[in-house]
Amino acid sequence: MGMFDRFFGKTIKKMEGVSQCNKKDMYHCEEYSFSAYCPHGWIMHTQDLPPHILVMFYDPLCAEDNINIAVNRIFRKRSIEELKDALTLNALGFGGRIRSLKRTKVDNVEAVELICELQKQIYKQIIFEKWSYEYILTCTARINNFKACEPIFDEFLQSFKFEHVTDDAEIHYFSGVSYQQKGLYEEAEKEYLKAIELNLSLIHI
């Protein structure tokens, strides 16, 4: 049984938290203070998702073409090079073939973008950190449909915006506390890897 069978099943239209996106619809997340464009005509799913996944959008004709947003708490900030290394190791660990790996920006936040071929799919994944959280945006499509989906993916990624929240919370969170001394650093590393592995596992349909 594939990932979508487990989480969506065959009664998608009857499930709560499922709706079809209209033109110009935006997804707003108050908890993490961001918004993003909802792909027109795609299905938005917001409930009964795996841990860390806040929302998933997918083509109603084929759920293998999809986008998801994951958020994970962090206890120390990683450099861009560390994020690059983590993405590379995880992609190769799943047997993927990396097509590109580069620095980019999401709403003026430094990020890493990976494009990887895995089995019969290609995924574009972007990771960045803000406000003591890590954001993972994953766009996946069948190999023969990636070019058709890429404009949808790019419009979604460019639309991702943080809403007006002061950076004081981030400064307060990271100041004056040694999380390594409290033994939370190792736990944070584990949670980080789990979040990335979960996104990759969603590709295995």
Side-chain angles (χ1 to χ4, degrees):
M1 181 178 289
M3 200 61 143
F4 284 98
D5 294 322
R6 288 200 298 272
F7 289 106
F8 299 131
K10 297 181 179 180
T11 57
I12 188 72
K13 292 183 179 179
K14 298 179 181 179
M15 295 175 66
E16 293 183 4
V18 177
S19 60
Q20 190 160 32
C21 303
N22 295 314
K23 192 173 182 179
K24 297 183 179 180
D25 278 354
M26 297 292 291
Y27 170 75
H28 293 272
C29 179
E30 293 183 4
E31 183 177 1
Y32 298 104
S33 301
F34 70 83
S35 61
Y37 162 75
C38 302
H40 181 217
W42 283 29
I43 303 298
M44 179 172 68
H45 195 104
T46 58
Q47 293 185 16
D48 300 318
L49 293 170
H52 304 292
I53 304 291
L54 300 180
V55 62
M56 178 172 280
F57 306 96
Y58 58 93
D59 187 334
L61 300 178
C62 182
E64 292 179 75
D65 300 335
N66 63 80
I67 297 169
N68 74 69
I69 302 174
V71 179
N72 186 49
R73 188 73 171 266
I74 58 174
F75 294 94
R76 79 168 177 93
K77 288 201 169 185
R78 295 172 178 81
S79 68
I80 291 296
E81 291 306 314
E82 286 178 301
L83 292 177
K84 279 185 177 180
D85 290 345
L87 282 182
T88 299
L89 289 172
N90 278 275
L92 296 177
F94 276 87
R97 184 170 70 86
I98 296 174
R99 290 191 169 192
S100 68
L101 180 67
K102 66 180 183 180
R103 297 180 66 152
T104 187
K105 286 188 176 182
V106 175
D107 194 21
N108 210 35
V109 177
E110 291 289 336
V112 175
E113 177 191 284
L114 170 79
I115 298 180
C116 183
E117 184 177 326
L118 184 61
Q119 296 184 356
K120 297 180 180 180
Q121 295 173 305
I122 297 173
Y123 70 90
K124 177 184 287 191
Q125 190 169 65
I126 294 184
I127 294 186
F128 52 95
E129 297 176 351
K130 189 175 177 67
W131 295 326
S132 69
Y133 289 95
E134 178 180 69
Y135 298 79
I136 307 173
L137 314 181
T138 305
C139 304
T140 305
R142 294 159 291 166
I143 288 178
N144 62 1
N145 205 41
F146 185 79
K147 285 187 177 179
C149 286
E150 197 164 24
I152 297 171
F153 295 161
D154 289 343
E155 184 175 15
F156 165 80
L157 294 169
Q158 291 166 13
S159 76
F160 188 100
K161 302 290 182 188
F162 286 103
E163 297 175 351
H164 300 291
V165 176
T166 177
D167 283 338
D168 290 345
E170 183 174 24
I171 295 169
H172 175 73
Y173 183 79
F174 282 109
S175 65
V177 179
S178 173
Y179 288 98
Q180 289 179 329
Q181 290 177 358
K182 291 188 175 182
L184 294 178
Y185 170 74
E186 292 81 3
E187 193 63 31
E189 293 284 350
K190 291 177 185 177
E191 288 298 314
Y192 167 76
L193 293 174
K194 275 200 252 179
I196 293 179
E197 288 175 5
L198 179 59
N199 271 281
L200 290 176
S201 71
L202 286 171
I203 296 166
H204 293 283
I205 307 301

